[in-house]
Structure formats: C-alpha cells, structure tokens
Amino acid sequence: MTRLLVRDLAQLATPSAGPAPLRGRALRDVTVIEDAYVLCRDGVIEAVGPMRDLDARSTAALDDELDGRHLCAVPGLVDCHTHPAWGGDRVAEFSLRAGGASYEELHAAGGGILATVRATRALDDGELQARVARHAEWMLRHGTTTWEGKSGYGLDRETELASLRAIRAAGGSPTWLGAHAVPPEFEDADSYLDFTLAEVLPEASQLADAADVFLERGAFDAAQARRYLGACRDAGLSLRLHGDQFTESGAIPLAVELGARSVDHLEATGDDGARRLAASDVVGVLLPASALFLDRPMPPGRSLVDAGAAVALATDFNPGSSFTESLPVVTTLACTQLHLAPEEALSAVTINAAHVLGLAHDRGRIAPGLRADLVLLAADDWRHLGYHLAGDIVVHVIQDGVLRR
Ligand code: NIG
Ligand code: FE
C-alpha cells in the first residue's frame, strides 16, 4: 500500500458530481475548497476536504507528503483529441502559411496530411514509438494525465497498426483514424475504403478503442463516412467524427444517427447544427487551438453551451493544424475566444473529456474512489489555469497516485 498526502493547498477545484456529460448550468457547477488536502492510496483518491477535517489516523503511515502551500489542485487534465503518431514536421508549410497559403490549398497540392503520411511511413516501429512517447511526455508536462491518440498518418496496414500499438504503449487510448485522407496509391476514397475496411479494420478493431473519420470536402463525404463508421461500429469500436471544420457537410446528423461519442471541430457549425447537437447525447469537442493556428473562425462555443450541448475541449495536437500539447493554453482560448466561463472550461477539459473516452466513471473529478490524477498549479486561485496565458503554471502532476512531475 502506498499513501500520498497533498496538504495545505490554497484551493482545490473540481467539477461537482452529476451524470456526465455535463451540459447547461451543470457545466458551471465547480466545487472549490479553500485550504484543502487530498489523500491518495494505491492510485485512488481516498479522501478530500478542508485541512481542518484531516484526522490523525489519515496522516499515520504516509509514504509521501507534498506541500501544497500557494498551489491549487485541479483534476488531471484529459486530452480527448490528439494526433501524436507522426514523423517529420510541417515547419516549411508553417512558413508558407505565414506568407498567406491556405491549409486547404496545401492539402490539395499533396502537402498537408499527405506530407506527414510520407514522413510517418519512413519511420521504423522503434522510431514511431519514440515519437509517440516524446509527445506523451510533452503532454504530461502540461498537466495531461489521460489522453486519446489517433492513427491516420500511415493509411497503410503496417503503419496504421504500428501507430495504434505505439499509442497504447505510451499510455494513450488509441483511435483508428483510418479515414483521414485518401493515400496516393488509391484512385479515390471508395477504393481506399474497400481496402482499409477489408485489410486493416479486423486488426485495428482489436487494438483501438474508437474509430474516427475526417468528414470534409476533399476528404470523405457523408456517405463514405457512414460506410466507414458503420463497419467500425459493427466491429465494436466507439465512434468519433472530425466534422464542420471548414464546411457543414452533414457530420452532426450522421453523428446523431450513428450514436457517436463526439463530433469534433465545429468551426463551421450554424444554428441548426447547434440545435441538433444540443438535442442529442453526442459531445461537441471544441479545438480552439486549431482554429487559432490556422487563422480560422472559432467554433461557436458559447452558443453551443447556451443551446444545451455537452461540450469538451481538446488540443487537436498534430504537426499541421495545431502544434500544441497544452490544455492550459486551450483553456485560455476557451475563456477568451469561445467565451466560456473558467468553470465551464474546467468541466470541458476534465469530466466531459473523460466522458468522450468512456472514462468518466473513474476520472475527471477529484473525489474519493476516483483515480488519483491531480495537477498542482502555481497560483492561489485555480482560475489561473486559463488566466496565465502560456504561463509556466503546472508545478506538479500526479498520475495514478504517482508524482510524475
Ligand atoms: O484535426 N482535420 C483533419 N485532421 C487534423 C489535421 C491533420 C494535419 O493537418 O496533419 C485536424 O485538424
Ligand atoms: Fe484532429
């Protein structure tokens, strides 16, 4: 048995109990305890409360104690949308975009995603594993204790499966993004889908927790996305969609029809789409760092929340459209660009993100019985999580009861 006490915290902030995903007023329901402690035992939170309630019995037989003075605790952050399995980089494209080239133009010219596909295929398994492990380490430094990672830069059998294995090995929840782009060796999207559903899905479905598709002009249309996701669902995977990033192409109705866990991006979603999403159990995953990085319109976060939609926030970490691993930065963007309250943003990067991954029963809040994942922030008020733009705010990270940073 190992026991860790975090004591004398200036504040502890956690989404309150309630059925996930949180929506409407419940998204703001954050419990704040001043002068707090958290006791962890064997990777699980044993007790939480104000210091005055900490009894001597609880402090007997501790293995470790952490001084929380002038620090705030929030739940370990959950990044429910990342693309960590890639080789090379896209810094040359970044320069071109700085000069005015658009992301869609670069994609159409065989750059963009397909440039990363070439670089990823060139890695051997060990190199790919090392890349994913490096990215997981970056995320941890910014307070991410649970993350989802997508394949989608292989698009051949070997590299897709190696990506899923590398993501699992680095501690992530793998999503098979087999329908990210059509690789150059195929004539069209349908013949590529024939191949990948026959040759890759049987094994990918054993390695992944979910499947995802890029439903967009120039990638896969709604009929192709329905075919891909239907086959993945039949193989036991939960479903995600990249939708409404540049154009509204039917992603929300399809997500609702198929009972997907989430539809992600939503920069182009209008009022109708927002209403349909709000009336469903599908979570809208907002990726404001991607909109910022591509200089695109922000997703309508405030309207979605006001309409009653369940929302989560994620980085979309990838080398092309969102080269950041920082959920604290995403929290800043949520508050300043999407006009979410800090409380709503906290729920969206913790409990609701955990729900998207099917993990809300054991993480995403600070409460007895949940996994001991905590982030300690260098501030006396937990709202510095978003307030301190790109600040050096994460002091300690506890994952599964172990001090990782
Ligand atoms: O979520 N939109 C599609 N896929 C990624 C970008 C991938 C890339 O540019 O390499 C995204 O933004
Ligand atoms: Fe993405």
Side-chain angles (χ1 to χ4, degrees):
M1 183 170 89
T2 58
R3 281 175 119 199
L4 165 68
L5 175 67
V6 186
R7 59 179 306 143
D8 297 305
L9 286 159
Q11 283 185 338
L12 176 153
T14 177
S16 309
L22 303 178
R23 60 176 86 226
R25 290 294 306 174
L27 270 170
R28 285 182 193 237
D29 200 0
V30 166
T31 299
V32 179
I33 306 174
E34 310 279 339
D35 193 20
Y37 78 91
V38 187
L39 186 63
C40 311
R41 184 165 100 175
D42 292 336
V44 174
I45 296 169
E46 186 176 2
V48 188
M51 282 301 290
R52 60 174 183 279
D53 292 353
L54 185 62
D55 56 38
R57 209 160 34 93
S58 307
T59 52
L62 287 174
D63 298 285
D64 208 354
E65 216 174 276
L66 206 59
D67 180 359
R69 276 176 296 174
H70 300 297
L71 305 178
C72 288
V74 294
L77 305 179
V78 179
D79 200 341
C80 66
H81 182 140
T82 84
H83 304 251
W86 43 271
D89 63 40
R90 301 254 284 282
V91 67
E93 177 185 305
F94 178 72
S95 297
L96 291 172
R97 285 200 296 106
S102 86
Y103 178 78
E104 281 189 293
E105 274 160 28
L106 293 163
H107 182 71
I113 294 170
L114 292 176
T116 301
V117 168
R118 288 189 290 277
T120 307
R121 288 178 175 180
L123 300 180
D124 66 31
D125 285 8
E127 290 166 332
L128 183 58
Q129 272 167 28
R131 282 300 195 106
V132 178
R134 175 185 81 166
H135 301 155
E137 185 57 38
W138 291 354
M139 292 186 224
L140 186 83
R141 274 189 238 158
H142 292 269
T144 297
T145 52
T146 296
W147 52 278
E148 176 259 18
K150 302 173 197 298
S151 67
Y153 289 122
L155 306 178
D156 60 17
R157 184 167 190 282
E158 196 189 331
T159 318
E160 283 300 293
L161 299 178
S163 298
L164 296 172
R165 285 196 193 95
I167 289 161
R168 182 76 76 190
S173 165
T175 294
W176 182 44
L177 180 51
H180 196 193
V182 179
E185 62 274 22
F186 289 89
E187 282 276 291
D188 55 33
D190 289 298
S191 52
Y192 170 65
L193 289 180
D194 292 342
F195 154 78
T196 202
L197 292 175
E199 303 296 328
V200 188
L201 172 62
E203 205 164 335
S205 64
Q206 303 306 304
L207 298 171
D209 296 329
D212 197 344
V213 57
F214 186 19
L215 171 39
E216 187 59 69
R217 174 176 73 194
F220 297 88
D221 68 21
Q224 290 156 347
R226 180 184 285 107
R227 176 179 171 214
Y228 173 79
L229 292 175
C232 291
R233 182 190 52 191
D234 294 346
L237 296 171
S238 29
L239 306 182
R240 315 276 308 265
L241 289 87
H242 281 69
D244 294 1
Q245 183 180 7
F246 299 99
T247 55
E248 276 190 297
S249 304
I252 290 176
L254 184 62
V256 174
E257 173 193 325
L258 296 176
R261 279 260 167 74
S262 73
V263 50
D264 306 37
H265 272 292
L266 306 177
E267 288 92 316
T269 301
D271 291 346
D272 253 24
R275 269 193 295 276
R276 288 186 88 145
L277 189 66
S280 79
D281 291 330
V282 180
V283 176
V285 177
L286 309 175
L287 309 168
S290 165
L292 177 80
F293 204 70
L294 295 184
D295 190 22
R296 300 277 312 163
M298 286 286 159
R302 183 73 259 153
S303 326
L304 285 165
V305 170
D306 290 343
V311 298
L313 288 161
T315 59
D316 196 20
F317 172 76
N318 76 75
S321 70
S322 190
F323 193 35
T324 179
E325 61 278 15
S326 172
L327 281 172
V329 165
V330 168
T331 303
T332 303
L333 295 173
C335 297
T336 61
Q337 308 301 301
L338 309 186
H339 305 288
L340 301 195
E343 292 78 6
E344 293 170 327
L346 182 69
S347 299
V349 285
T350 55
I351 185 71
N352 276 13
H355 171 80
V356 170
L357 303 183
L359 295 171
H361 57 281
D362 94 321
R363 63 193 81 174
R365 292 190 296 118
I366 304 175
L370 298 193
R371 197 168 99 139
D373 291 347
L374 302 171
V375 179
L376 304 196
L377 306 172
D380 285 314
D381 184 309
W382 71 270
R383 292 171 297 184
H384 283 243
L385 175 65
Y387 170 50
H388 196 167
L389 169 55
D392 189 9
I393 181 108
V394 172
V395 189
H396 291 299
V397 182
I398 297 165
Q399 186 185 40
D400 219 356
V402 177
L403 184 62
R404 297 287 312 275
R405 186 201 162 148

